Amino acid sequence: MQSVLPANITDLAERVVTENKALDRTIALAESCTGGLVAAAITEIPGSSAVLGSGYVTYSNEAKMKMLGVNEDILDTFGAVSVATAWAMAQGALKKSGADIAVAISGVAGPDGGTEKKPVGTVVFAVAEKGRDPNEVNADRMDFGADKSRAEIRTIATLHALALLLPSTP
């Protein structure tokens, strides 16, 4: 057995490690609905310690506040599954870790917990980068579909988060 994770995830994680290592760029993660899967994917790759400095699994609102400094007002106003919360998570991970880039993920993986405004399959992502203006929000809400299983939603979210960690091409 080469990996505990599917090949499509480890292949993308290998690119994340290789491409960030080539740029001497460190990364941090703030995960909620993925529960550490993105960090697990990266650490499947030999040499990942050169790029991954920190991973925060902040499943509860209390953890988001204590570990990442997410303001309670943001959680009360917008909820845990919101662009505002993901952005605050990414900024907190960047600040606490000292990394060059941080990606945050929060969502409703189901099968329960969805609402009319945030149905199962709703996942938000945010990317914070050192040296970028924190007022320029780089976050997005995606709907992966309520017809997907919890495992499928978490897998798709993991792949998307890994893709966000790839260096952009000029």
Side-chain angles (χ1 to χ4, degrees), residues 7-20:
N8 61 340
I9 290 177
T10 55
D11 289 348
L12 188 52
E14 187 167 13
R15 279 189 60 205
V16 168
V17 170
T18 301
E19 293 180 27
N20 281 287

Side-chain angles (χ1 to χ4, degrees), residues 37-107:
L37 282 174
V38 182
I42 292 169
T43 59
E44 281 287 292
I45 309 306
S48 59
S49 60
V51 297
L52 179 63
S54 300
Y56 305 90
V57 177
T58 56
Y59 211 67
S60 70
N61 285 351
E62 291 83 23
K64 289 172 181 63
M65 291 184 292
K66 286 180 184 174
M67 294 173 69
L68 299 173
V70 175
N71 189 304
E72 187 173 9
D73 290 342
I74 291 173
L75 290 161
D76 289 344
T77 303
F78 302 104
V81 181
S82 66
V83 165
T85 295
W87 182 241
M89 289 170 64
Q91 288 295 323
L94 188 72
K95 182 179 179 181
K96 298 232 180 234
S97 70
D100 296 308
I101 183 171
V103 168
I105 310 106
S106 187

Side-chain angles (χ1 to χ4, degrees), residues 130-149:
K130 187 185 283 184
R132 292 254 172 121
D133 182 353
N135 293 315
E136 291 180 26
V137 176
N138 183 0
D140 198 16
R141 174 184 159 155
M142 302 185 86
D143 181 4
F144 295 131
D147 60 327
K148 306 251 183 332
S149 71

